[in-house]
Amino acid sequence: MFMYKKLYILGLLFLSVLYSEDWEYSADAAEIKQINREQVKQFNGNVFITKGSLELKTKQALQYPEREQIHLYGDIQMIDNNTAVQCDQLVYHTSKNYSVAYNDVIV
């Protein structure tokens, strides 16, 4: 069990260094997988993503580097400076720094 935790922590460190782009990711579990021939980074459980003043909290996030998007699912909180948004689904466009929120949106 101890060795598994070491590998898990090393894997998260590898992901954060390899794909940082000034974005910081934290989650209970993270993996890189192929979905429809596209490399996707999946983060599950207590997901926390930050870049500068932007904070994203959710249950699950999928990052699509080729599309320059992060898709968030479940109990989402987005805080950026003095703006706060809560919703159930959000797509953040990383290259253009804007997001689209869906389902039970509270601003």
Side-chain angles (χ1 to χ4, degrees), residues 13-90:
L13 290 173
F14 174 74
L15 284 173
S16 66
V17 170
L18 186 60
Y19 297 105
S20 66
E21 303 173 75
D22 295 328
W23 289 88
E24 295 182 22
Y25 296 85
S26 173
D28 292 339
E31 65 179 302
I32 297 174
K33 56 169 55 174
Q34 293 284 327
I35 298 177
N36 297 327
R37 297 185 181 161
E38 184 175 7
Q39 185 179 29
V40 176
K41 290 174 268 176
Q42 182 172 335
F43 302 90
N44 293 309
N46 299 309
V47 180
F48 189 66
I49 303 168
T50 61
K51 181 179 181 183
S53 64
L54 175 67
E55 296 179 359
L56 300 166
K57 299 176 187 176
T58 188
K59 291 181 177 179
Q60 181 185 50
L62 299 172
Q63 183 186 23
Y64 296 86
E66 292 175 22
R67 296 185 208 175
E68 298 180 326
Q69 295 178 349
I70 304 171
H71 294 215
L72 295 91
Y73 303 97
D75 295 331
I76 300 160
Q77 293 181 340
M78 181 180 85
I79 301 169
D80 193 6
N81 292 320
N82 294 329
T83 304
V85 175
Q86 292 180 320
C87 60
D88 289 329
Q89 184 177 355
L90 184 133

